[in-house]
Each structure stands twice: as structure tokens, then as C-alpha cells.
Coordinates of all heavy atoms in Angstrom, one line a residue:
M1 N 87.5 -2.0 -98.0 CA 88.7 -1.7 -97.2 C 89.7 -1.0 -98.1 O 89.9 -1.4 -99.3 CB 89.3 -3.2 -96.8 CG 90.4 -3.1 -95.8 SD 90.7 -4.7 -95.4 CE 91.8 -4.3 -94.0
S2 N 90.5 -0.1 -97.6 CA 91.4 0.7 -98.3 C 92.7 -0.1 -98.6 O 93.1 -1.0 -97.8 CB 91.7 2.0 -97.6 OG 92.3 1.7 -96.4
D3 N 93.4 0.4 -99.6 CA 94.7 -0.2 -99.9 C 95.7 0.1 -98.8 O 95.9 1.3 -98.5 CB 95.1 0.4 -101.3 CG 96.5 -0.2 -101.7 OD1 96.8 -1.4 -101.3 OD2 97.2 0.4 -102.5
P4 N 96.4 -0.9 -98.2 CA 97.4 -0.6 -97.2 C 98.5 0.2 -97.6 O 99.1 1.0 -96.8 CB 97.9 -2.0 -96.7 CG 97.1 -3.0 -97.5 CD 96.3 -2.3 -98.5
T5 N 98.9 0.3 -98.9 CA 100.0 1.1 -99.4 C 99.6 2.5 -99.4 O 100.5 3.4 -99.3 CB 100.6 0.7 -100.7 OG1 99.4 0.6 -101.6 CG2 101.1 -0.8 -100.6
S6 N 98.3 2.8 -99.4 CA 98.0 4.2 -99.4 C 98.0 4.9 -98.0 O 98.2 6.0 -97.9 CB 96.5 4.4 -100.0 OG 95.6 3.7 -99.1
I7 N 97.9 3.9 -97.0 CA 98.0 4.5 -95.6 C 99.5 4.5 -95.3 O 100.0 5.4 -94.6 CB 97.3 3.5 -94.7 CG1 95.8 3.5 -95.0 CG2 97.5 3.9 -93.2 CD1 95.0 2.3 -94.3
C8 N 100.3 3.5 -95.6 CA 101.7 3.5 -95.2 C 102.5 3.1 -96.5 O 102.6 2.0 -96.9 CB 102.0 2.3 -94.2 SG 103.6 2.3 -93.7
P9 N 103.0 4.2 -97.1 CA 103.7 4.0 -98.4 C 105.0 3.0 -98.1 O 105.6 2.9 -97.1 CB 104.2 5.3 -98.8 CG 104.0 6.2 -97.6 CD 103.1 5.5 -96.7
T10 N 105.3 2.3 -99.2 CA 106.5 1.3 -99.1 C 107.6 1.7 -100.0 O 107.3 2.4 -101.0 CB 106.1 -0.1 -99.4 OG1 105.5 -0.1 -100.8 CG2 105.0 -0.6 -98.5
V11 N 108.7 1.3 -99.7 CA 109.9 1.5 -100.6 C 110.2 0.1 -101.2 O 110.3 -0.9 -100.5 CB 111.1 2.0 -99.8 CG1 112.3 2.2 -100.6 CG2 110.8 3.3 -99.2
G12 N 110.4 0.1 -102.5 CA 110.8 -1.2 -103.1 C 112.1 -1.7 -102.7 O 113.0 -0.9 -102.3
A13 N 112.3 -3.0 -102.7 CA 113.5 -3.6 -102.3 C 114.7 -3.2 -103.3 O 114.5 -3.3 -104.5 CB 113.4 -5.1 -102.2
N14 N 115.8 -2.9 -102.8 CA 117.0 -2.7 -103.6 C 117.7 -3.9 -103.7 O 118.3 -4.6 -102.7 CB 117.9 -1.6 -102.8 CG 119.2 -1.2 -103.6 OD1 119.5 -1.9 -104.6 ND2 119.8 -0.3 -103.2
P15 N 117.8 -4.5 -105.0 CA 118.4 -5.9 -105.1 C 119.9 -5.9 -104.8 O 120.4 -6.9 -104.6 CB 118.2 -6.1 -106.7 CG 117.8 -4.8 -107.2 CD 117.3 -3.9 -106.2
D16 N 120.6 -4.7 -104.8 CA 122.0 -4.7 -104.4 C 122.2 -4.9 -102.9 O 123.3 -5.4 -102.4 CB 122.6 -3.3 -104.7 CG 122.7 -3.1 -106.2 OD1 122.7 -4.1 -107.0 OD2 122.8 -1.9 -106.7
V17 N 121.1 -4.8 -102.1 CA 121.2 -4.9 -100.7 C 120.3 -6.1 -100.2 O 120.8 -6.8 -99.3 CB 120.8 -3.6 -100.0 CG1 120.9 -3.8 -98.5 CG2 121.7 -2.5 -100.4
S18 N 119.2 -6.3 -100.9 CA 118.3 -7.3 -100.4 C 118.4 -8.6 -101.3 O 117.6 -9.5 -101.1 CB 116.9 -6.8 -100.5 OG 116.5 -6.5 -101.8
G19 N 119.4 -8.7 -102.0 CA 119.6 -10.0 -102.8 C 119.9 -11.2 -102.0 O 120.4 -11.0 -100.8
I20 N 119.7 -12.3 -102.5 CA 119.9 -13.5 -101.8 C 121.3 -13.7 -101.3 O 121.6 -14.2 -100.2 CB 119.3 -14.8 -102.6 CG1 119.4 -16.0 -101.7 CG2 120.2 -15.0 -103.9 CD1 118.3 -16.0 -100.7
G21 N 122.2 -13.3 -102.2 CA 123.6 -13.5 -101.8 C 124.0 -12.6 -100.6 O 124.7 -13.1 -99.6
V22 N 123.6 -11.4 -100.5 CA 123.9 -10.4 -99.5 C 123.2 -11.0 -98.2 O 123.8 -10.9 -97.1 CB 123.4 -9.1 -99.8 CG1 123.5 -8.2 -98.7 CG2 124.2 -8.5 -101.0
R23 N 121.9 -11.4 -98.3 CA 121.2 -11.8 -97.1 C 121.9 -13.0 -96.5 O 122.0 -13.2 -95.3 CB 119.8 -12.2 -97.5 CG 119.1 -10.8 -97.7 CD 117.6 -11.0 -98.0 NE 116.9 -12.2 -97.8 CZ 116.0 -12.6 -98.6 NH1 115.6 -12.1 -99.7 NH2 115.4 -13.8 -98.3
I24 N 122.4 -14.0 -97.4 CA 123.0 -15.3 -97.0 C 124.3 -14.9 -96.2 O 124.6 -15.5 -95.2 CB 123.2 -16.2 -98.1 CG1 121.8 -16.8 -98.5 CG2 124.2 -17.3 -97.6 CD1 121.9 -17.8 -99.7
A25 N 125.0 -14.0 -96.8 CA 126.2 -13.5 -96.2 C 126.1 -12.9 -94.8 O 126.8 -13.2 -93.8 CB 127.0 -12.5 -97.0
I26 N 125.1 -12.0 -94.6 CA 124.8 -11.4 -93.4 C 124.4 -12.5 -92.4 O 124.7 -12.5 -91.2 CB 123.7 -10.3 -93.6 CG1 124.4 -9.2 -94.3 CG2 123.2 -9.9 -92.2 CD1 123.3 -8.1 -94.7
Y27 N 123.4 -13.4 -92.8 CA 123.0 -14.5 -91.8 C 124.1 -15.3 -91.4 O 124.2 -15.7 -90.2 CB 121.9 -15.3 -92.5 CG 120.6 -14.6 -92.9 CD1 119.8 -15.0 -93.9 CD2 120.2 -13.4 -92.2 CE1 118.6 -14.4 -94.3 CE2 119.1 -12.7 -92.6 CZ 118.3 -13.2 -93.7 OH 117.1 -12.6 -94.0
A28 N 125.0 -15.7 -92.4 CA 126.1 -16.6 -92.0 C 127.0 -15.8 -91.1 O 127.6 -16.5 -90.1 CB 126.8 -17.0 -93.3
Q29 N 127.3 -14.5 -91.3 CA 128.3 -13.8 -90.4 C 127.7 -13.8 -89.0 O 128.4 -13.9 -88.1 CB 128.4 -12.4 -91.1 CG 129.3 -11.4 -90.1 CD 129.4 -10.0 -90.6 OE1 128.5 -9.6 -91.4 NE2 130.4 -9.4 -90.2
N30 N 126.3 -13.5 -89.0 CA 125.8 -13.4 -87.6 C 125.7 -14.7 -86.9 O 126.0 -14.8 -85.7 CB 124.4 -12.8 -87.7 CG 124.5 -11.4 -87.9 OD1 125.2 -10.5 -87.2 ND2 123.7 -10.9 -88.9
L31 N 125.4 -15.7 -87.6 CA 125.3 -17.1 -86.9 C 126.8 -17.6 -86.6 O 127.0 -18.1 -85.5 CB 124.7 -18.2 -87.9 CG 123.2 -17.9 -88.0 CD1 122.7 -18.9 -89.1 CD2 122.5 -18.2 -86.8
L32 N 127.7 -17.4 -87.5 CA 129.1 -17.8 -87.2 C 129.7 -17.0 -86.1 O 130.8 -17.4 -85.5 CB 130.0 -17.8 -88.4 CG 129.6 -18.8 -89.5 CD1 130.4 -18.6 -90.8 CD2 129.8 -20.3 -89.0
S33 N 129.2 -15.8 -85.8 CA 129.8 -15.0 -84.7 C 129.6 -15.7 -83.3 O 130.3 -15.4 -82.4 CB 129.1 -13.6 -84.7 OG 127.8 -13.7 -84.2
F34 N 128.7 -16.7 -83.2 CA 128.6 -17.4 -82.0 C 129.7 -18.4 -81.8 O 130.0 -18.8 -80.6 CB 127.2 -18.1 -81.9 CG 126.1 -17.2 -81.8 CD1 125.3 -16.9 -82.8 CD2 125.8 -16.6 -80.5 CE1 124.2 -16.0 -82.7 CE2 124.8 -15.7 -80.4 CZ 124.0 -15.5 -81.5
V35 N 130.3 -18.8 -82.8 CA 131.4 -19.9 -82.8 C 132.5 -19.3 -81.8 O 132.9 -20.1 -80.9 CB 131.9 -20.3 -84.1 CG1 133.0 -21.2 -83.9 CG2 130.8 -21.0 -84.9
P36 N 133.2 -18.3 -82.0 CA 134.3 -17.8 -81.2 C 133.8 -17.5 -79.8 O 134.5 -17.9 -78.8 CB 134.8 -16.5 -81.8 CG 134.2 -16.5 -83.2 CD 133.0 -17.3 -83.3
A37 N 132.6 -17.1 -79.6 CA 132.1 -16.8 -78.2 C 132.0 -18.2 -77.5 O 132.3 -18.3 -76.3 CB 130.7 -16.1 -78.3
L38 N 131.3 -19.2 -78.1 CA 131.2 -20.4 -77.4 C 132.7 -21.1 -77.2 O 132.8 -21.8 -76.2 CB 130.3 -21.4 -78.4 CG 128.8 -20.8 -78.4 CD1 128.1 -21.8 -79.4 CD2 128.2 -20.9 -77.1
W39 N 133.5 -20.9 -78.2 CA 134.9 -21.5 -78.0 C 135.6 -20.9 -76.9 O 136.3 -21.5 -76.1 CB 135.6 -21.2 -79.4 CG 136.9 -21.9 -79.3 CD1 138.2 -21.4 -79.0 CD2 137.3 -23.2 -79.7 NE1 139.1 -22.3 -79.2 CE2 138.6 -23.4 -79.6 CE3 136.4 -24.3 -80.2 CZ2 139.2 -24.6 -79.9 CZ3 137.0 -25.5 -80.4 CH2 138.4 -25.7 -80.3
A40 N 135.3 -19.5 -76.7 CA 136.0 -18.8 -75.6 C 135.5 -19.3 -74.2 O 136.2 -19.3 -73.3 CB 135.8 -17.3 -75.8
L41 N 134.2 -19.6 -74.2 CA 133.5 -20.0 -73.0 C 133.8 -21.6 -72.7 O 133.4 -22.1 -71.6 CB 132.1 -19.8 -73.0 CG 131.6 -18.3 -73.0 CD1 130.2 -18.2 -73.3 CD2 132.0 -17.7 -71.7
K42 N 134.5 -22.2 -73.5 CA 134.7 -23.6 -73.4 C 135.4 -24.0 -72.1 O 135.0 -25.0 -71.4 CB 135.5 -24.2 -74.6 CG 135.8 -25.6 -74.5 CD 136.7 -26.0 -75.7 CE 138.1 -25.3 -75.5 NZ 139.2 -25.9 -76.3
D43 N 136.4 -23.2 -71.7 CA 137.0 -23.5 -70.4 C 136.5 -22.8 -69.2 O 137.0 -22.9 -68.1 CB 138.6 -23.2 -70.6 CG 138.8 -21.8 -70.9 OD1 137.9 -21.0 -71.0 OD2 140.0 -21.4 -71.1
G44 N 135.4 -22.1 -69.4 CA 134.7 -21.4 -68.3 C 135.3 -20.0 -67.9 O 134.8 -19.4 -67.0
R45 N 136.2 -19.5 -68.6 CA 136.8 -18.2 -68.3 C 137.2 -17.5 -69.7 O 137.6 -18.2 -70.7 CB 138.0 -18.3 -67.4 CG 139.2 -19.0 -67.9 CD 140.2 -19.1 -66.8 NE 141.4 -19.8 -67.3 CZ 142.4 -19.1 -67.9 NH1 142.4 -17.8 -68.0 NH2 143.4 -19.8 -68.4
I46 N 137.1 -16.2 -69.7 CA 137.5 -15.5 -70.9 C 138.7 -14.6 -70.6 O 138.8 -13.9 -69.6 CB 136.3 -14.6 -71.3 CG1 135.1 -15.4 -71.6 CG2 136.7 -13.7 -72.5 CD1 133.9 -14.6 -72.0
T47 N 139.7 -14.8 -71.4 CA 141.0 -14.1 -71.2 C 140.8 -12.6 -71.9 O 139.9 -12.4 -72.7 CB 142.2 -14.8 -71.9 OG1 141.9 -14.7 -73.3 CG2 142.3 -16.2 -71.4
P48 N 141.6 -11.7 -71.5 CA 141.6 -10.4 -72.0 C 141.7 -10.4 -73.6 O 141.1 -9.6 -74.3 CB 142.7 -9.6 -71.4 CG 142.9 -10.3 -70.1 CD 142.7 -11.7 -70.3
T49 N 142.5 -11.2 -74.0 CA 142.7 -11.3 -75.6 C 141.5 -11.8 -76.2 O 140.9 -11.3 -77.3 CB 143.9 -12.3 -75.9 OG1 145.0 -11.9 -75.2 CG2 144.1 -12.4 -77.4
Q50 N 140.8 -12.8 -75.6 CA 139.5 -13.4 -76.2 C 138.5 -12.3 -76.1 O 137.7 -12.1 -77.1 CB 139.1 -14.6 -75.4 CG 139.9 -15.8 -75.7 CD 139.5 -16.9 -74.7 OE1 139.1 -16.8 -73.6 NE2 139.8 -18.1 -75.2
L51 N 138.4 -11.6 -75.1 CA 137.4 -10.5 -74.8 C 137.7 -9.4 -75.9 O 136.7 -8.9 -76.5 CB 137.5 -9.9 -73.4 CG 136.5 -8.9 -73.2 CD1 135.0 -9.5 -73.2 CD2 136.7 -8.4 -71.7
D52 N 138.9 -9.0 -76.2 CA 139.2 -8.0 -77.2 C 138.7 -8.5 -78.6 O 138.1 -7.8 -79.3 CB 140.7 -7.7 -77.2 CG 141.0 -6.6 -78.2 OD1 140.4 -5.5 -78.1 OD2 142.0 -6.8 -78.9
E53 N 139.0 -9.8 -78.9 CA 138.6 -10.3 -80.2 C 137.1 -10.3 -80.4 O 136.6 -10.1 -81.4 CB 139.2 -11.7 -80.4 CG 140.8 -11.7 -80.6 CD 141.2 -10.9 -81.7 OE1 140.6 -11.0 -82.7 OE2 142.3 -10.2 -81.5
L54 N 136.4 -10.7 -79.3 CA 134.9 -10.8 -79.4 C 134.4 -9.4 -79.5 O 133.4 -9.1 -80.3 CB 134.3 -11.4 -78.1 CG 134.6 -12.9 -78.0 CD1 134.2 -13.4 -76.6 CD2 134.0 -13.7 -79.1
E55 N 135.0 -8.3 -78.9 CA 134.6 -7.0 -79.0 C 134.8 -6.5 -80.5 O 133.9 -5.9 -81.0 CB 135.3 -6.1 -78.1 CG 134.9 -4.6 -78.1 CD 135.8 -3.8 -77.2 OE1 136.5 -4.3 -76.3 OE2 135.7 -2.6 -77.4
K56 N 135.9 -6.8 -81.1 CA 136.2 -6.5 -82.5 C 135.2 -7.1 -83.4 O 134.6 -6.4 -84.3 CB 137.6 -6.9 -82.9 CG 138.6 -6.1 -82.3 CD 140.0 -6.6 -82.7 CE 141.2 -5.8 -81.9 NZ 142.5 -6.4 -82.3
Q57 N 134.8 -8.3 -83.1 CA 133.8 -9.0 -84.0 C 132.5 -8.5 -83.9 O 131.7 -8.2 -84.9 CB 133.8 -10.5 -83.6 CG 132.9 -11.3 -84.4 CD 132.8 -12.8 -83.9 OE1 133.4 -13.1 -82.9 NE2 132.2 -13.6 -84.7
S58 N 132.0 -8.1 -82.6 CA 130.8 -7.5 -82.4 C 130.7 -6.1 -83.1 O 129.7 -5.7 -83.6 CB 130.5 -7.3 -80.9 OG 130.5 -8.6 -80.3
T59 N 131.8 -5.4 -83.0 CA 131.9 -4.0 -83.7 C 131.7 -4.2 -85.2 O 130.9 -3.4 -85.8 CB 133.2 -3.3 -83.4 OG1 133.4 -3.2 -81.9 CG2 133.3 -2.0 -84.0
N60 N 132.3 -5.2 -85.8 CA 132.1 -5.4 -87.2 C 130.6 -5.7 -87.5 O 130.2 -5.1 -88.7 CB 133.0 -6.5 -87.7 CG 134.5 -6.0 -87.7 OD1 134.8 -4.9 -87.8 ND2 135.4 -7.1 -87.7
I61 N 130.0 -6.5 -86.8 CA 128.7 -6.8 -87.0 C 127.8 -5.5 -86.9 O 126.8 -5.3 -87.6 CB 128.1 -8.0 -86.2 CG1 128.8 -9.2 -86.6 CG2 126.6 -8.1 -86.2 CD1 128.6 -10.4 -85.8
L62 N 128.0 -4.7 -85.9 CA 127.3 -3.5 -85.6 C 127.5 -2.5 -86.8 O 126.5 -1.9 -87.2 CB 127.7 -2.9 -84.2 CG 126.9 -1.8 -83.7 CD1 125.5 -2.2 -83.5 CD2 127.6 -1.2 -82.5
I63 N 128.7 -2.5 -87.3 CA 128.9 -1.5 -88.4 C 128.1 -2.0 -89.6 O 127.5 -1.0 -90.4 CB 130.4 -1.4 -88.8 CG1 131.2 -0.7 -87.7 CG2 130.7 -0.8 -90.1 CD1 132.7 -0.8 -87.8
T64 N 128.0 -3.3 -89.9 CA 127.3 -3.8 -91.0 C 125.8 -3.4 -90.8 O 125.1 -3.0 -91.7 CB 127.4 -5.3 -91.2 OG1 128.8 -5.6 -91.3 CG2 126.6 -5.9 -92.4
A65 N 125.3 -3.5 -89.6 CA 123.9 -3.3 -89.4 C 123.6 -1.8 -89.5 O 122.6 -1.4 -90.1 CB 123.5 -3.7 -87.9
F66 N 124.5 -1.0 -89.1 CA 124.3 0.5 -89.2 C 124.4 1.0 -90.7 O 123.6 1.8 -91.2 CB 125.3 1.3 -88.4 CG 124.9 1.6 -87.0 CD1 125.6 1.1 -85.9 CD2 123.6 2.2 -86.8 CE1 125.2 1.3 -84.7 CE2 123.2 2.5 -85.4 CZ 124.0 2.0 -84.4
A67 N 125.3 0.3 -91.5 CA 125.4 0.6 -92.9 C 124.0 0.2 -93.6 O 123.5 1.0 -94.4 CB 126.5 -0.2 -93.5
I68 N 123.4 -0.9 -93.2 CA 122.2 -1.2 -93.8 C 121.0 -0.2 -93.4 O 120.2 0.2 -94.2 CB 121.8 -2.7 -93.5 CG1 122.7 -3.6 -94.2 CG2 120.3 -3.0 -93.9 CD1 122.6 -5.1 -93.8
L69 N 121.1 0.2 -92.1 CA 120.1 1.1 -91.6 C 120.3 2.5 -92.3 O 119.3 3.1 -92.7 CB 120.3 1.3 -90.1 CG 119.4 2.4 -89.5 CD1 117.9 1.9 -89.6 CD2 119.8 2.6 -88.0
I70 N 121.5 3.0 -92.5 CA 121.7 4.2 -93.2 C 121.3 4.1 -94.6 O 120.5 5.0 -95.1 CB 123.2 4.6 -93.1 CG1 123.6 5.1 -91.7 CG2 123.5 5.7 -94.1 CD1 125.0 5.2 -91.4
L71 N 121.5 3.0 -95.3 CA 121.0 2.8 -96.7 C 119.6 2.9 -96.8 O 119.0 3.5 -97.7 CB 121.6 1.5 -97.2 CG 121.2 1.2 -98.6 CD1 121.7 2.2 -99.6 CD2 121.6 -0.2 -99.0
T72 N 118.9 2.3 -95.8 CA 117.4 2.3 -95.7 C 116.9 3.7 -95.6 O 115.9 4.1 -96.3 CB 116.9 1.4 -94.6 OG1 117.4 0.1 -94.7 CG2 115.4 1.3 -94.5
V73 N 117.5 4.5 -94.8 CA 117.0 5.9 -94.6 C 117.2 6.7 -95.8 O 116.4 7.4 -96.2 CB 117.8 6.5 -93.4 CG1 117.5 8.0 -93.3 CG2 117.4 5.9 -92.1
I74 N 118.3 6.5 -96.5 CA 118.7 7.2 -97.7 C 117.6 6.8 -98.8 O 117.1 7.7 -99.5 CB 120.1 7.0 -98.1 CG1 121.1 7.7 -97.2 CG2 120.3 7.5 -99.6 CD1 122.5 7.3 -97.5
Q75 N 117.4 5.5 -98.9 CA 116.5 5.1 -99.8 C 115.0 5.6 -99.6 O 114.4 6.0 -100.6 CB 116.5 3.5 -100.0 CG 115.7 3.0 -101.1 CD 115.9 1.5 -101.3 OE1 116.6 0.9 -100.5 NE2 115.2 0.9 -102.2
A76 N 114.6 5.6 -98.4 CA 113.3 6.1 -98.0 C 113.3 7.7 -98.4 O 112.3 8.1 -98.9 CB 113.0 5.9 -96.6
H77 N 114.4 8.3 -98.1 CA 114.4 9.8 -98.4 C 114.3 10.1 -99.9 O 113.6 10.9 -100.4 CB 115.7 10.4 -97.9 CG 115.7 11.9 -98.1 ND1 116.3 12.4 -99.2 CD2 115.3 12.9 -97.3 CE1 116.2 13.8 -99.2 NE2 115.7 14.0 -98.0
N78 N 115.0 9.2 -100.6 CA 115.0 9.4 -102.2 C 113.6 9.0 -102.8 O 113.3 9.6 -103.8 CB 116.0 8.5 -102.8 CG 117.5 9.0 -102.5 OD1 117.6 10.1 -102.2 ND2 118.4 8.2 -102.7
H79 N 112.9 8.3 -102.1 CA 111.5 7.9 -102.6 C 110.5 8.8 -102.0 O 109.2 8.5 -102.2 CB 111.2 6.4 -102.3 CG 112.0 5.4 -103.2 ND1 111.6 5.3 -104.5 CD2 113.2 4.9 -103.0 CE1 112.5 4.4 -105.1 NE2 113.4 4.1 -104.1
G80 N 110.8 9.7 -101.2 CA 109.9 10.7 -100.6 C 109.1 10.2 -99.5 O 107.9 10.7 -99.3
I81 N 109.6 9.3 -98.8 CA 108.8 8.8 -97.6 C 109.5 9.3 -96.3 O 110.6 9.4 -96.1 CB 108.8 7.3 -97.6 CG1 108.2 6.7 -98.9 CG2 108.2 6.7 -96.4 CD1 108.2 5.2 -99.0

């Protein structure tokens, strides 16, 4: 059987991005993002202010995700993949 890395080359993990501290921070941010949403739904209706705050929070999480995606593309390009 052939070596899987010869078929699909891999990029080594960047410890500045894939370190345990960064991963824990990202997981915590995403899990804690449910707290304001659940709090807003507590009374069964969402006010325009609550909706605006939830939108800002979702935008921040999306920016973080895109930053990691862009970093992955750059790292893959630098390693010739």
C-alpha cells in the first residue's frame, strides 16, 4: 500500500495557530456565543437591540473563522500545495 502523504501532501501544523491555547479560546468563544442567544430567547421574543448584538457577535466569530481559513491558504501556498 502506498504512503497516503504521497497521494495527498500535508501541511504541518503551525503552533501559533493550532496551539492548545488558541484552540481553547476559539472553542470557548463559540460555545459562549450561545449564552446571549439563549438569554435573548428567554422571554420568547427578540428586541431589535438584542438582534443587533447577536449579529455583531456572529460577525466577530465569522471574521475569526475567515482569518484562520486565509492563514491556511497562505500556509498551503508557502509549502507548495
Side-chain angles (χ1 to χ4, degrees):
M1 186 170 194
S2 64
D3 181 25
T5 57
S6 66
I7 297 169
C8 182
T10 60
V11 176
N14 182 345
D16 291 335
V17 178
S18 64
I20 189 73
V22 174
R23 290 181 13 217
I24 288 174
I26 290 171
Y27 298 154
Q29 179 185 21
N30 286 309
L31 288 174
L32 291 173
S33 70
F34 289 105
V35 173
L38 295 173
W39 188 265
L41 291 173
K42 178 181 68 161
D43 59 359
R45 61 186 184 88
I46 299 177
T47 65
T49 304
Q50 291 171 331
L51 187 60
D52 186 48
E53 293 300 320
L54 292 172
E55 182 181 344
K56 289 177 186 175
Q57 180 181 9
S58 298
T59 302
N60 288 337
I61 292 172
L62 189 61
I63 289 170
T64 303
F66 273 119
I68 293 172
L69 178 64
I70 291 169
L71 179 65
T72 303
V73 170
I74 290 170
Q75 189 172 359
H77 182 271
N78 288 342
H79 288 282
I81 297 176

